[in-house]
Amino acid sequence: MPAITLTTLQSLKQKGEKITMLTCYDATFAHACNEAGVEVLLVGDSLGMVLQGHDSTLPVTTAEMAYHTACVKRGNSDALILADLPFMANATLEQTMTNSAMLMQAGAHMVKVEGQLWLAESIRLLAERGVPVCAHMGLTPQAVNILGGYKVQGRNENQARQMRADAISLEQAGAAMLLLECVPSELAAEISQAVKIPVIGIGAGNATDGQVLVLHDMLGLSITGRVPKFVKNFMLGQDSIQSALKAYVNEVKATTFPGIEHGFSA
Ligand code: KIV
């Protein structure tokens, strides 16, 4: 077991101490993130964009996710490893079980699935079988073709009400964590209050229980030059990657990141 477990994260939420998460795809960065005190390493399917150069996360396979999860595991000692089920890896309950098993056997301590209420049944089955689940809500990049782009979600009252209700239902189904991406700050704050499980935000304001960023984004690395509003370049003013990672941890813990300028309104 790593030093950081779900119980640690739960008690950080109860104490009101912010949880730090970064994406991580290899052993060297896993070690560097451990040294900086990052509590959760997300082996995100964003690797399809930042490592593989695709224009979305859709081409990523479960085998690739398992490969990078195993790389992260080898460099990690302290952090909890969360791995993404990629596009269509949870299309059926049977696929969800088989693909989650692959990620857990590769070294994940928890899996992340994108969606809304329809995830409830698979979350319940996974939790019953010993797999903790994080439900990724709001902007779910695997559904970019349905959403019509990478847009803020939950801006109108109907969508907001639905997201609040779904968050509560997914907690009741057994989700151990929620991740809210590109959600108005006020709505993210309400959801974080409404559930007992930790809520991690990206582009969701600073009232969630923790924050996550894509590693390459926060190190100021970009192929396209287009940087989302919620990203801060932590390399600015730092002389090493290690200090940038530490600055991220310090700013999340001190609630100075994200600032108002990194969030969205309804
Ligand atoms: O894949 C990923 O990196 C993610 C983050 C954007 C939260 O899911």
Side-chain angles (χ1 to χ4, degrees):
M1 284 301 286
I4 306 291
T5 64
L6 270 179
T7 314
T8 322
L9 303 181
Q10 193 65 59
S11 77
L12 289 176
K13 172 164 179 142
Q14 277 155 13
K15 284 192 287 186
E17 182 179 331
K18 299 292 180 185
I19 297 164
T20 55
M21 183 189 293
L22 279 177
T23 67
C24 186
Y25 318 103
D26 67 36
T28 304
F29 270 105
H31 177 70
C33 287
N34 279 191
E35 295 282 291
V38 177
E39 284 140 345
V40 186
L41 303 180
L42 168 61
V43 188
D45 61 357
S46 52
L47 68 82
M49 297 165 96
V50 296
L51 298 190
Q52 299 175 334
H54 295 297
D55 61 1
S56 79
T57 58
L58 273 60
V60 178
T61 65
T62 307
E64 289 165 348
M65 292 304 303
Y67 170 80
H68 286 280
T69 302
C71 294
V72 168
K73 178 193 162 68
R74 283 182 220 118
N76 179 58
S77 50
D78 299 338
L80 184 133
I81 300 174
L82 169 62
D84 266 341
L85 277 178
F87 180 61
M88 294 300 271
N90 57 337
T92 66
L93 287 178
E94 195 177 333
Q95 285 171 323
T96 308
M97 300 303 125
T98 307
N99 292 322
S100 299
M102 265 179 79
L103 297 183
M104 296 296 283
Q105 288 173 338
H109 303 112
M110 184 176 196
V111 300
K112 177 160 80 59
V113 284
E114 295 184 11
Q116 305 82 30
L117 188 59
W118 64 269
L119 295 171
E121 176 69 350
S122 54
I123 289 176
R124 190 179 60 71
L125 288 177
L126 285 169
E128 281 172 359
R129 285 153 182 73
V131 181
V133 185
C134 172
H136 181 153
M137 306 175 73
L139 170 57
T140 47
Q142 291 169 14
V144 63
N145 292 300
I146 296 276
L147 300 175
Y150 297 99
K151 297 176 184 165
V152 180
Q153 302 296 307
R155 271 194 151 143
N156 74 49
E157 192 38 52
N158 279 345
Q159 285 179 349
R161 194 177 315 110
Q162 189 64 58
M163 205 185 296
R164 272 192 297 267
D166 288 0
I168 292 167
S169 301
L170 294 183
E171 177 182 39
Q172 285 165 354
M177 185 187 282
L178 299 180
L179 189 148
L180 299 179
E181 178 166 355
C182 289
V183 169
S185 305
E186 203 171 305
L187 174 60
E190 284 169 17
I191 293 174
S192 307
Q193 287 283 321
V195 296
K196 291 198 176 59
I197 53 177
V199 178
I200 309 299
I202 175 166
N206 76 359
T208 52
D209 305 307
Q211 297 294 328
V212 60
L213 281 178
V214 171
L215 179 66
H216 293 59
D217 288 348
M218 58 81 70
L219 294 177
L221 298 169
S222 162
I223 300 177
T224 61
R226 287 191 304 274
V227 181
K229 179 186 178 196
F230 54 77
V231 171
K232 174 169 172 176
N233 179 354
F234 282 90
M235 277 305 285
L236 294 177
Q238 303 296 336
D239 57 8
S240 68
I241 288 174
Q242 202 57 54
S243 335
L245 296 174
K246 190 70 199 142
Y248 170 74
V249 170
N250 290 344
E251 289 200 30
V252 171
K253 291 285 179 191
T255 64
T256 50
F257 176 78
I260 291 173
E261 69 279 17
H262 300 115
F264 301 99
S265 54

